[in-house]
Amino acid sequence: MARAKPKSALHETISTVVWALVIALGFRTLFFQPFWIPSESMKSSLLIGDFLFVNKMAYGYSRYSCPFAVCPIEGRIFGSDPERGDVVVFRHPTSGDDYIKRVIGLPGDTVQMKEGRVILNGQELVQQPDGIFAETYEPQGPMKSLPRCGNGVVGLGASCERSRSIETIPTGEGDKTRSYPVLNIADSTGLPDNSEIFTVPEGHFFFMGDNRDNSMDSRFRQGAQGGVGMVSADLLIGRADRVIFSAAGSRLWYFWTWRMDRFFHGIE
């Protein structure tokens, strides 16, 4: 009987790498996708340099669940709707970038901004003052962006401050509510502090950033200054529940910039 020809070390290595990639791709597609926070639109809940895994099982799957949107899925399968207050990663309707914002409006809801307050279905969401959110005015993250401050023009190394409140929203599940911090930089007569009344269409959701004066979201119509507009259900990628790791510097290996207090930090 002829013996099977032994496999070469190179063949074994290639096979191992291929299977590792297949497993990693399957894990990323079906379960959890890594996501870095690139901007300050979700401060103070999420900071530039926070690293998290997005739960892709939370709302089911669409073609955008796969890298490069290659999943052969029409609409959404195994789908469920997010609750108001969920922090969600979704595909921007026009740019194709991945965004992360908070769900404010569900299908059929009306949403309006009036003097910096959210009016949901005709009722103003309660905000309780929660002091000041302060951070050092310095370049942040790989893009070295500078934060916007509410205490005027400050120099590098100075304290950059914004007023913070705790907003409470009904989740849409019975009498449950959810509370989270929102920031205010300055008051304005138009957007983002004042808007028309938006009605959320069926199969769509209304998103806003927690850093209310520095977030391009559903308050801005698609195609207007990079606005998001209403986001359809098939663009949802997953829910963000917890920060795994956080670094304030421009490089991951700058260990002296690691924010140890944010490791495994729950997202409100």
Side-chain angles (χ1 to χ4, degrees), residues 145-183:
S145 56
L146 292 168
R148 286 184 59 194
C149 309
N151 55 328
V153 178
V154 300
L156 288 175
S159 178
C160 178
E161 301 177 356
R162 278 143 286 184
S163 62
R164 178 169 55 193
S165 299
I166 301 298
E167 184 173 88
T168 299
I169 193 170
T171 64
E173 290 291 323
D175 295 330
K176 286 172 54 180
T177 61
R178 185 167 184 174
S179 298
Y180 44 86
V182 295
L183 302 182

CSV table of all heavy atoms in Angstrom, one decimal, residues 145-183:
chain,number,residue,atom,x,y,z
A,145,SER,N,-6.8,65.6,16.5
A,145,SER,CA,-7.8,66.7,16.5
A,145,SER,C,-7.9,67.4,17.8
A,145,SER,O,-7.6,66.8,18.9
A,145,SER,CB,-9.2,66.1,16.1
A,145,SER,OG,-9.5,65.0,17.1
A,146,LEU,N,-8.2,68.6,17.8
A,146,LEU,CA,-8.4,69.4,19.0
A,146,LEU,C,-9.8,69.5,19.4
A,146,LEU,O,-10.7,69.7,18.6
A,146,LEU,CB,-7.8,70.8,18.8
A,146,LEU,CG,-6.3,70.9,18.6
A,146,LEU,CD1,-5.9,72.3,18.1
A,146,LEU,CD2,-5.6,70.6,19.9
A,147,PRO,N,-10.1,69.4,20.7
A,147,PRO,CA,-11.5,69.4,21.2
A,147,PRO,C,-12.1,70.8,21.1
A,147,PRO,O,-11.4,71.8,21.1
A,147,PRO,CB,-11.5,69.0,22.6
A,147,PRO,CG,-10.1,69.3,23.1
A,147,PRO,CD,-9.2,69.2,21.9
A,148,ARG,N,-13.5,70.9,21.0
A,148,ARG,CA,-14.2,72.1,21.0
A,148,ARG,C,-14.5,72.4,22.5
A,148,ARG,O,-15.0,71.5,23.2
A,148,ARG,CB,-15.5,72.1,20.2
A,148,ARG,CG,-15.2,72.1,18.7
A,148,ARG,CD,-16.6,72.2,17.9
A,148,ARG,NE,-17.3,73.4,18.3
A,148,ARG,CZ,-18.6,73.5,18.1
A,148,ARG,NH1,-19.3,72.6,17.4
A,148,ARG,NH2,-19.3,74.6,18.5
A,149,CYS,N,-14.3,73.7,22.9
A,149,CYS,CA,-14.5,74.0,24.3
A,149,CYS,C,-15.7,75.0,24.5
A,149,CYS,O,-16.0,75.8,23.6
A,149,CYS,CB,-13.3,74.6,24.9
A,149,CYS,SG,-11.8,73.7,24.5
A,150,GLY,N,-16.3,74.9,25.6
A,150,GLY,CA,-17.4,75.9,25.9
A,150,GLY,C,-16.9,77.0,26.7
A,150,GLY,O,-17.7,78.0,26.9
A,151,ASN,N,-15.7,77.0,27.2
A,151,ASN,CA,-15.2,78.1,28.0
A,151,ASN,C,-14.3,79.1,27.2
A,151,ASN,O,-13.3,79.6,27.7
A,151,ASN,CB,-14.4,77.6,29.2
A,151,ASN,CG,-13.3,76.6,28.9
A,151,ASN,OD1,-13.4,75.9,27.9
A,151,ASN,ND2,-12.3,76.6,29.7
A,152,GLY,N,-14.6,79.2,25.9
A,152,GLY,CA,-13.9,80.2,25.1
A,152,GLY,C,-12.6,79.6,24.5
A,152,GLY,O,-12.4,78.4,24.5
A,153,VAL,N,-11.8,80.4,23.9
A,153,VAL,CA,-10.5,80.0,23.3
A,153,VAL,C,-9.5,79.8,24.4
A,153,VAL,O,-9.2,80.7,25.2
A,153,VAL,CB,-10.0,81.1,22.3
A,153,VAL,CG1,-8.7,80.7,21.7
A,153,VAL,CG2,-11.0,81.3,21.2
A,154,VAL,N,-8.9,78.6,24.4
A,154,VAL,CA,-7.9,78.3,25.5
A,154,VAL,C,-6.7,77.8,24.8
A,154,VAL,O,-6.7,77.3,23.6
A,154,VAL,CB,-8.5,77.2,26.4
A,154,VAL,CG1,-9.7,77.7,27.2
A,154,VAL,CG2,-8.7,75.9,25.7
A,155,GLY,N,-5.6,77.9,25.5
A,155,GLY,CA,-4.3,77.5,24.9
A,155,GLY,C,-4.0,76.0,25.2
A,155,GLY,O,-4.7,75.3,26.0
A,156,LEU,N,-3.0,75.5,24.5
A,156,LEU,CA,-2.6,74.1,24.7
A,156,LEU,C,-2.2,73.8,26.1
A,156,LEU,O,-1.5,74.7,26.7
A,156,LEU,CB,-1.4,73.8,23.8
A,156,LEU,CG,-1.7,73.6,22.3
A,156,LEU,CD1,-0.4,73.4,21.5
A,156,LEU,CD2,-2.6,72.5,22.0
A,157,GLY,N,-2.7,72.8,26.7
A,157,GLY,CA,-2.5,72.4,28.0
A,157,GLY,C,-3.5,73.0,29.0
A,157,GLY,O,-3.5,72.6,30.2
A,158,ALA,N,-4.3,73.9,28.6
A,158,ALA,CA,-5.3,74.5,29.4
A,158,ALA,C,-6.5,73.5,29.6
A,158,ALA,O,-6.7,72.5,28.9
A,158,ALA,CB,-5.8,75.8,28.9
A,159,SER,N,-7.5,73.9,30.5
A,159,SER,CA,-8.6,73.1,30.7
A,159,SER,C,-9.7,73.4,29.7
A,159,SER,O,-10.1,74.6,29.6
A,159,SER,CB,-9.2,73.3,32.1
A,159,SER,OG,-10.4,72.6,32.3
A,160,CYS,N,-10.2,72.4,29.0
A,160,CYS,CA,-11.3,72.6,28.0
A,160,CYS,C,-12.6,72.1,28.6
A,160,CYS,O,-12.7,70.9,29.0
A,160,CYS,CB,-11.0,71.8,26.7
A,160,CYS,SG,-12.2,71.9,25.5
A,161,GLU,N,-13.5,73.0,28.8
A,161,GLU,CA,-14.7,72.7,29.6
A,161,GLU,C,-16.0,72.8,28.8
A,161,GLU,O,-16.2,73.6,27.9
A,161,GLU,CB,-14.8,73.6,30.8
A,161,GLU,CG,-13.5,73.5,31.7
A,161,GLU,CD,-13.6,74.5,32.9
A,161,GLU,OE1,-14.5,75.3,32.9
A,161,GLU,OE2,-12.6,74.5,33.7
A,162,ARG,N,-17.0,71.9,29.2
A,162,ARG,CA,-18.3,71.9,28.6
A,162,ARG,C,-19.3,71.5,29.7
A,162,ARG,O,-19.0,70.7,30.6
A,162,ARG,CB,-18.5,70.9,27.5
A,162,ARG,CG,-18.0,71.4,26.2
A,162,ARG,CD,-17.3,70.3,25.4
A,162,ARG,NE,-16.0,69.9,25.9
A,162,ARG,CZ,-15.1,69.1,25.4
A,162,ARG,NH1,-15.5,68.4,24.3
A,162,ARG,NH2,-14.0,68.8,25.9
A,163,SER,N,-20.5,72.1,29.7
A,163,SER,CA,-21.4,71.8,30.8
A,163,SER,C,-22.0,70.4,30.4
A,163,SER,O,-22.2,70.0,29.3
A,163,SER,CB,-22.5,72.8,30.8
A,163,SER,OG,-23.2,72.9,29.6
A,164,ARG,N,-22.3,69.6,31.5
A,164,ARG,CA,-22.8,68.3,31.3
A,164,ARG,C,-24.1,68.1,32.0
A,164,ARG,O,-24.3,68.7,33.1
A,164,ARG,CB,-21.8,67.3,31.8
A,164,ARG,CG,-22.3,65.8,31.7
A,164,ARG,CD,-21.2,64.8,32.0
A,164,ARG,NE,-20.5,65.1,33.3
A,164,ARG,CZ,-19.3,64.5,33.6
A,164,ARG,NH1,-18.7,63.7,32.8
A,164,ARG,NH2,-18.8,64.8,34.8
A,165,SER,N,-25.0,67.4,31.4
A,165,SER,CA,-26.3,67.0,32.0
A,165,SER,C,-26.6,65.6,31.9
A,165,SER,O,-26.0,64.9,31.0
A,165,SER,CB,-27.5,67.8,31.4
A,165,SER,OG,-27.3,69.2,31.6
A,166,ILE,N,-27.5,65.0,32.7
A,166,ILE,CA,-27.9,63.6,32.6
A,166,ILE,C,-29.3,63.6,31.9
A,166,ILE,O,-30.2,64.2,32.5
A,166,ILE,CB,-27.9,62.9,33.9
A,166,ILE,CG1,-26.5,62.9,34.5
A,166,ILE,CG2,-28.4,61.5,33.7
A,166,ILE,CD1,-25.4,62.2,33.7
A,167,GLU,N,-29.4,63.1,30.8
A,167,GLU,CA,-30.7,63.0,30.1
A,167,GLU,C,-31.3,61.6,30.3
A,167,GLU,O,-30.6,60.6,30.3
A,167,GLU,CB,-30.4,63.3,28.6
A,167,GLU,CG,-31.7,63.3,27.7
A,167,GLU,CD,-31.4,63.8,26.3
A,167,GLU,OE1,-31.1,62.9,25.5
A,167,GLU,OE2,-31.4,65.0,26.1
A,168,THR,N,-32.6,61.6,30.4
A,168,THR,CA,-33.3,60.3,30.6
A,168,THR,C,-34.4,60.1,29.5
A,168,THR,O,-35.1,61.1,29.2
A,168,THR,CB,-34.0,60.3,32.0
A,168,THR,OG1,-33.1,60.4,33.0
A,168,THR,CG2,-34.8,59.0,32.2
A,169,ILE,N,-34.4,58.9,28.9
A,169,ILE,CA,-35.2,58.7,27.8
A,169,ILE,C,-36.0,57.4,28.0
A,169,ILE,O,-35.4,56.4,28.6
A,169,ILE,CB,-34.4,58.6,26.5
A,169,ILE,CG1,-35.3,58.6,25.2
A,169,ILE,CG2,-33.5,57.3,26.4
A,169,ILE,CD1,-34.5,58.8,23.9
A,170,PRO,N,-37.3,57.3,27.6
A,170,PRO,CA,-38.0,56.0,27.7
A,170,PRO,C,-37.4,55.1,26.6
A,170,PRO,O,-37.3,55.5,25.4
A,170,PRO,CB,-39.5,56.4,27.4
A,170,PRO,CG,-39.4,57.7,26.6
A,170,PRO,CD,-38.2,58.4,27.1
A,171,THR,N,-37.1,53.9,26.9
A,171,THR,CA,-36.5,53.0,26.0
A,171,THR,C,-37.4,52.4,24.9
A,171,THR,O,-37.0,52.0,23.8
A,171,THR,CB,-35.9,51.7,26.7
A,171,THR,OG1,-36.9,51.0,27.3
A,171,THR,CG2,-34.9,52.2,27.8
A,172,GLY,N,-38.7,52.5,25.2
A,172,GLY,CA,-39.7,51.9,24.3
A,172,GLY,C,-40.1,50.5,24.7
A,172,GLY,O,-41.0,49.9,24.1
A,173,GLU,N,-39.5,50.0,25.8
A,173,GLU,CA,-39.9,48.7,26.4
A,173,GLU,C,-40.6,48.9,27.7
A,173,GLU,O,-40.0,49.1,28.8
A,173,GLU,CB,-38.6,47.8,26.6
A,173,GLU,CG,-38.0,47.3,25.3
A,173,GLU,CD,-38.8,46.3,24.6
A,173,GLU,OE1,-39.5,45.5,25.3
A,173,GLU,OE2,-38.8,46.3,23.4
A,174,GLY,N,-41.9,48.9,27.7
A,174,GLY,CA,-42.7,49.2,28.9
A,174,GLY,C,-42.4,50.5,29.5
A,174,GLY,O,-42.3,51.5,28.8
A,175,ASP,N,-42.2,50.5,30.8
A,175,ASP,CA,-41.9,51.7,31.6
A,175,ASP,C,-40.4,51.9,31.8
A,175,ASP,O,-40.0,52.8,32.5
A,175,ASP,CB,-42.6,51.7,32.9
A,175,ASP,CG,-44.1,51.7,32.8
A,175,ASP,OD1,-44.6,52.2,31.8
A,175,ASP,OD2,-44.7,51.1,33.7
A,176,LYS,N,-39.5,51.2,31.1
A,176,LYS,CA,-38.1,51.3,31.3
A,176,LYS,C,-37.6,52.6,30.7
A,176,LYS,O,-38.1,53.1,29.7
A,176,LYS,CB,-37.4,50.1,30.5
A,176,LYS,CG,-37.5,48.8,31.2
A,176,LYS,CD,-36.9,47.7,30.3
A,176,LYS,CE,-35.5,48.0,29.9
A,176,LYS,NZ,-34.9,46.9,29.0
A,177,THR,N,-36.6,53.2,31.4
A,177,THR,CA,-35.9,54.4,31.0
A,177,THR,C,-34.4,54.1,31.0
A,177,THR,O,-33.9,53.2,31.6
A,177,THR,CB,-36.2,55.6,31.9
A,177,THR,OG1,-35.8,55.3,33.2
A,177,THR,CG2,-37.7,55.9,31.9
A,178,ARG,N,-33.7,55.0,30.3
A,178,ARG,CA,-32.2,54.9,30.3
A,178,ARG,C,-31.7,56.3,30.4
A,178,ARG,O,-32.2,57.3,29.9
A,178,ARG,CB,-31.7,54.3,29.0
A,178,ARG,CG,-30.2,54.1,29.0
A,178,ARG,CD,-29.8,53.2,27.8
A,178,ARG,NE,-28.4,52.9,27.8
A,178,ARG,CZ,-27.8,52.1,27.0
A,178,ARG,NH1,-28.6,51.4,26.1
A,178,ARG,NH2,-26.5,51.8,27.1
A,179,SER,N,-30.6,56.5,31.2
A,179,SER,CA,-30.0,57.8,31.5
A,179,SER,C,-28.6,57.8,31.0
A,179,SER,O,-27.9,56.8,31.1
A,179,SER,CB,-30.1,58.2,33.0
A,179,SER,OG,-31.5,58.3,33.4
A,180,TYR,N,-28.1,58.9,30.5
A,180,TYR,CA,-26.8,59.0,30.0
A,180,TYR,C,-26.4,60.5,29.9
A,180,TYR,O,-27.2,61.4,29.9
A,180,TYR,CB,-26.7,58.5,28.5
A,180,TYR,CG,-27.9,58.9,27.7
A,180,TYR,CD1,-27.9,60.1,27.0
A,180,TYR,CD2,-29.1,58.2,27.6
A,180,TYR,CE1,-28.9,60.6,26.3
A,180,TYR,CE2,-30.2,58.6,26.9
A,180,TYR,CZ,-30.1,59.8,26.2
A,180,TYR,OH,-31.2,60.3,25.5
A,181,PRO,N,-25.1,60.8,29.9
A,181,PRO,CA,-24.6,62.2,30.0
A,181,PRO,C,-24.6,62.8,28.6
A,181,PRO,O,-24.3,62.1,27.6
A,181,PRO,CB,-23.2,62.1,30.5
A,181,PRO,CG,-22.7,60.7,30.1
A,181,PRO,CD,-23.9,59.8,30.1
A,182,VAL,N,-25.0,64.1,28.5
A,182,VAL,CA,-24.9,64.8,27.3
A,182,VAL,C,-24.2,66.1,27.6
A,182,VAL,O,-24.2,66.7,28.7
A,182,VAL,CB,-26.3,65.1,26.7
A,182,VAL,CG1,-27.0,63.8,26.2
A,182,VAL,CG2,-27.2,65.9,27.6
A,183,LEU,N,-23.5,66.6,26.5
A,183,LEU,CA,-22.7,67.8,26.7
A,183,LEU,C,-23.2,69.0,25.9
A,183,LEU,O,-23.9,68.8,24.9
A,183,LEU,CB,-21.2,67.6,26.2
A,183,LEU,CG,-20.4,66.5,26.9
A,183,LEU,CD1,-19.0,66.4,26.4
A,183,LEU,CD2,-20.4,66.6,28.4
